[in-house]
């Protein structure tokens, strides 16, 4: 679904966050879908402090829209949902609505958008991972100004106390004697010590609160990646090294250390982890793998025949709370080691080919062509990226694709230095598992594991045979969050085979 140009230019550029929650360096949530009969595109620009204000932009397609509202609520909130805010229509684009929402609690939040109009009403739930990632700094001019005012008030308070002690008992016009002046000096000294003690106590309290806040800043689960030689060839493992995750079932250990309890993992597109391996000489190698695990700590997958060299590993996981995060690490593929030609999972895929630089068309393995419909040499950060692709047959006409893990396509965007990484779908940056978890949550799901069992049961149900999708262009709603050189991989499925194409693009500020 194509995002309107004016909506695209409304994308807000947020502070560079090298490691954030749902993705890396890409904090905004993008969603393309529907609210009942109304097609919508939503951008949630999450705050980087909590409490903070999330800026919501909602593009509603079609006529007859009467009102658009939005509200935000934590996944485990027990109180009634806050009243929705009415989004205001943009003055330049009648299809665009905006509102600001206070996010009072960090973690997995649900932004609920409701559209009401002549065609009825509809609701969409957009997962938003909101975490504190920084401490706001005082503006220096304001700081100096407040310090000057505080000093003035301090001197004024001491002066008032000294004057009161010296002259409050004297008759009008009577001059204070030496005794009264001495009492005034003593009173001023006592007042100075008293006020200094109060200021020191306030300073200590403030520093304590700041340190507590810094300690609560979000830190993603630490992970390690490595290769392991076995009978089947070479495997790659990603292990969660965070003690609080390894000890997640030990409530005594967690309480003793003041650690939070993590909810279980749930499958996204039927997989507990989507592992992306990127590297080799000049990042020519790319693999989308789905490792298996016995304990949700160590995930392992056969490594396809990738060239030796340094690799980055990114593992997407989703918690039962709807909280999604990307684990990151790196490893080396050694030279001279036999690697398996087969893959662990039928949805695994790889590509070893330099990304097309300044080219809008690349050949896919089956002879078809992947065309970037809106490729441009003038890409800018904070502006809708125009990730719109078509698959063309030998005659140059669009051809149909099959669903790949339930989607018309998947895309991966990475800045060459690894500071930005995001896994995209035509529905945006949001995780489908997160959306299901937030939409299907019931009051009885307060016990950890209840919802995940129900979701796992649903994912285990047999799905209908994959049918071909129309040859319409596949669009991934997104905006590059910062300037730099980017790599973009697009994956589609045709005739039961997963096909990948790679592009290279430079993004300006």
């Amino acid at each position: 679904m194509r995002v309107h140009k004016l909506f695209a230019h409304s994308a807000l550029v947020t502070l560079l966050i090298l490691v954030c929650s749902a993705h890396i360096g890409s904090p905004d949530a993008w969603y393309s879908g529907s609210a009942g009969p109304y097609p919508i595109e939503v951008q949630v620009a999450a705050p980087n402090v909590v409490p903070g204000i999330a800026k919501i932009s909602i593009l509603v397609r079609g006529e007859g829209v009467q009102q658009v509202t939005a509200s935000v609520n934590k996944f485990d909130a027990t109180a009634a949902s806050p009243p929705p805010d009415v989004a205001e229509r943009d003055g330049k684009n009648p299809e665009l609505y905006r509102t600001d929402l206070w996010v009072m609690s960090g973690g997995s939040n649900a932004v609920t958008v409701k559209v009401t109009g002549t065609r009825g009403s509809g609701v969409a739930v957009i997962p938003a991972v909101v975490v504190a990632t920084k401490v706001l700094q005082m503006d220096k001019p304001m700081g100096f100004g407040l310090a000057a005012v505080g000093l003035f008030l301090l001197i004024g308070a001491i002066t008032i106390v000294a004057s009161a002690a010296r002259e409050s008992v004297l008759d009008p016009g009577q001059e204070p004697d030496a005794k009264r002046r001495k009492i005034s000096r003593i009173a001023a000294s006592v007042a100075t010590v008293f006020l200094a003690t109060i200021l020191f106590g306030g300073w200590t309290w403030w520093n304590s609160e700041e340190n507590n806040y810094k300690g609560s800043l979000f830190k993603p689960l630490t992970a390690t990646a490595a290769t392991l030689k076995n009978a089947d060839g070479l495997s790659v493992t990603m292990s969660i090294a965070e003690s609080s995750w390894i000890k997640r079932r030990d409530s005594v250990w967690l309480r003793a250390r003041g650690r939070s309890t993590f909810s279980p993992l749930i499958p996204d597109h039927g997989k507990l982890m989507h592992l992306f391996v990127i590297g080799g000489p000049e990042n020519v190698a790319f693999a989308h793998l789905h490792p298996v695990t016995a304990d949700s700590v160590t995930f392992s997958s056969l490594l396809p025949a990738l060239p030796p060299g340094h690799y980055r590993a990114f593992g997407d996981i989703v918690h039962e709370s709807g909280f999604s995060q990307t684990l990151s690490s790196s490893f080396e593929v050694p030279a001279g080691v036999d690697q398996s030609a087969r893959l662990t999972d039928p949805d695994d895929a790889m590509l070893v080919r330099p990304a097309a630089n300044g080219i809008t068309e690349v050949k896919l393995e089956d002879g078809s062509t992947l065309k970037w419909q809106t490729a441009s040499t003038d890409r800018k950060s904070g502006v809708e990226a125009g990730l719109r692709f078509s698959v063309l047959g030998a005659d140059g006409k669009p051809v149909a694709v099959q669903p790949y893990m339930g989607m018309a396509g998947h895309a991966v965007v990475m800045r060459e230095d690894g500071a930005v990484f995001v896994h995209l779908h035509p529905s945006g940056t949001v995780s489908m598992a997160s959306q299901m978890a937030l939409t299907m949550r019931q009051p009885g799901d307060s016990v950890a594991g209840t919802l995940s069992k129900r979701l796992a049961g649903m994912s285990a149900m047999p799905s209908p045979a994959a049918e071909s999708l129309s040859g319409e262009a596949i669009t991934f709603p997104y905006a590059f969050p910062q300037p730099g050189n980017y790599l973009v991989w697009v994956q589609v499925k045709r005739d039961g085979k997963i096909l990948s194409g790679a592009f290279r693009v430079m993004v300006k500020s």
Side-chain angles (χ1 to χ4, degrees):
M1 189 178 298
R2 188 179 180 85
V3 180
H4 195 281
K5 184 177 181 181
L6 286 174
F7 174 70
H9 284 269
S10 73
L12 299 172
V13 183
T14 57
L15 178 76
L16 168 63
I17 304 174
L18 291 182
V19 179
C20 74
S21 52
H23 305 290
I24 295 179
S26 192
D28 289 6
W30 291 78
Y31 173 75
S32 178
S34 62
Y38 305 96
I40 63 172
E41 286 101 23
V42 181
Q43 182 204 4
V44 179
N48 44 38
V49 293
V50 180
I53 296 177
K55 296 184 177 295
I56 316 297
S57 300
I58 308 163
L59 186 73
V60 186
R61 298 290 186 188
E63 300 178 349
V65 177
Q66 297 169 339
Q67 187 181 69
V68 177
T69 63
S71 62
V72 62
N73 211 19
K74 186 114 180 252
F75 80 97
D76 59 354
T78 55
S81 300
D85 287 17
V86 177
E88 296 183 359
R89 194 189 298 263
D90 185 84
K92 296 181 179 179
N93 180 5
E95 293 185 326
L96 179 61
Y97 298 79
R98 305 176 192 271
T99 188
D100 294 343
L101 299 177
W102 271 100
V103 182
M104 304 306 297
S105 184
S108 176
N109 282 265
V111 175
T112 302
V113 173
K114 182 177 182 180
V115 182
T116 305
T118 57
R119 289 177 284 167
S121 62
V123 173
V125 176
I126 296 96
V129 174
V130 181
V131 291
T133 57
K134 64 171 293 187
V135 177
L136 291 179
Q137 301 297 318
M138 175 71 74
D139 180 68
K140 286 187 177 180
M142 179 179 289
F144 286 126
L146 292 176
V149 171
L151 182 62
F152 174 79
L153 293 175
L154 177 64
I155 294 173
I158 296 171
T159 301
I160 290 172
V161 171
S163 299
R166 184 177 62 245
E167 302 173 9
S168 62
V169 298
L170 299 180
D171 294 330
Q174 183 181 357
E175 290 294 328
D177 55 18
K179 180 180 179 180
R180 301 308 308 175
R181 288 195 293 270
K182 182 178 180 181
I183 293 174
S184 174
R185 289 193 293 272
I186 294 173
S189 299
V190 172
T192 301
V193 173
F194 177 73
L195 292 173
T197 302
I198 292 178
L199 288 175
F200 178 76
W203 181 272
T204 303
W205 170 81
W206 183 264
N207 286 339
S208 176
E209 288 295 307
E210 182 181 15
N211 289 334
N212 288 337
Y213 184 81
K214 287 180 178 178
S216 70
L217 294 181
F218 174 74
K219 301 175 183 65
L221 292 173
T222 56
T224 60
T227 55
L228 178 66
K229 188 176 180 181
N230 51 43
D232 294 322
L234 198 64
S235 293
V236 57
T237 63
M238 175 167 270
S239 300
I240 301 176
E242 191 76 33
S243 298
S244 55
W245 176 257
I246 298 172
K247 298 278 192 178
R248 63 192 182 280
R249 296 185 180 92
D250 190 339
S251 57
V252 175
W253 188 93
L254 293 171
R255 278 198 305 269
R257 292 160 179 78
R259 303 290 183 86
S260 300
T261 302
F262 284 94
S263 61
L265 300 183
I266 58 176
D268 189 19
H269 302 293
K271 322 290 182 181
L272 276 185
M273 176 181 283
H274 293 260
L275 179 63
F276 299 91
V277 174
I278 301 170
E282 298 185 359
N283 291 322
V284 298
F286 167 85
H288 180 178
L289 308 175
H290 304 95
V292 296
T293 181
D295 56 6
S296 292
V297 174
T298 298
F299 298 78
S300 179
S301 174
L302 286 175
L303 192 68
L306 302 177
H310 182 76
Y311 283 79
R312 293 186 176 93
F314 302 97
D316 284 350
I317 57 175
V318 181
H319 295 271
E320 183 187 57
S321 64
F323 191 94
S324 58
Q325 57 180 312
T326 298
L327 312 175
S328 64
S329 188
S330 61
F331 64 95
E332 300 289 331
V333 173
V337 177
D338 292 334
Q339 293 170 249
S340 174
R342 64 186 181 88
L343 297 170
T344 301
D345 189 282
D347 290 320
D348 288 355
M350 62 168 285
L351 176 70
V352 180
R353 185 187 304 167
N357 189 10
I359 300 174
T360 60
E361 296 183 3
V362 296
K363 284 290 184 183
L364 299 178
E365 191 176 348
D366 69 342
S368 60
T369 299
L370 179 66
K371 182 176 181 179
W372 191 341
Q373 297 283 13
T374 55
S376 169
T377 58
D378 190 27
R379 297 284 176 199
K380 293 185 178 181
S381 60
V383 176
E384 204 274 334
L387 301 179
R388 184 177 174 85
F389 302 88
S390 293
V391 180
L392 309 178
D395 57 359
K397 295 181 179 180
V399 295
V401 298
Q402 292 173 309
Y404 175 31
M405 289 186 291
M407 294 287 173
H410 292 249
V412 170
V413 175
M414 186 191 81
R415 208 172 80 163
E416 281 191 316
D417 60 0
V420 174
F421 173 88
V422 62
H423 175 199
L424 300 171
H425 308 119
S427 57
T429 62
V430 301
S431 159
M432 295 299 98
S434 295
Q435 191 174 43
M436 288 180 64
L438 293 170
T439 303
M440 296 178 58
R441 186 170 297 278
Q442 300 174 0
D445 294 332
S446 56
V447 177
T450 305
L451 178 60
S452 61
K453 289 179 181 178
R454 193 162 71 250
L455 291 173
M458 291 182 59
S459 64
M461 293 175 62
S463 56
E467 297 179 356
S468 295
L469 302 174
S470 67
E472 295 181 0
I474 306 168
T475 299
F476 303 93
Y478 185 65
F480 296 109
Q482 49 187 280
N485 292 319
Y486 284 81
L487 296 164
V488 179
W489 290 271
V490 178
Q491 296 185 290
V492 296
K493 189 174 184 179
R494 292 194 68 224
D495 299 325
K497 189 170 186 177
I498 303 163
L499 309 171
S500 304
F503 300 86
R504 189 184 303 270
V505 60
M506 183 179 72
V507 178
K508 302 176 183 177
S509 58

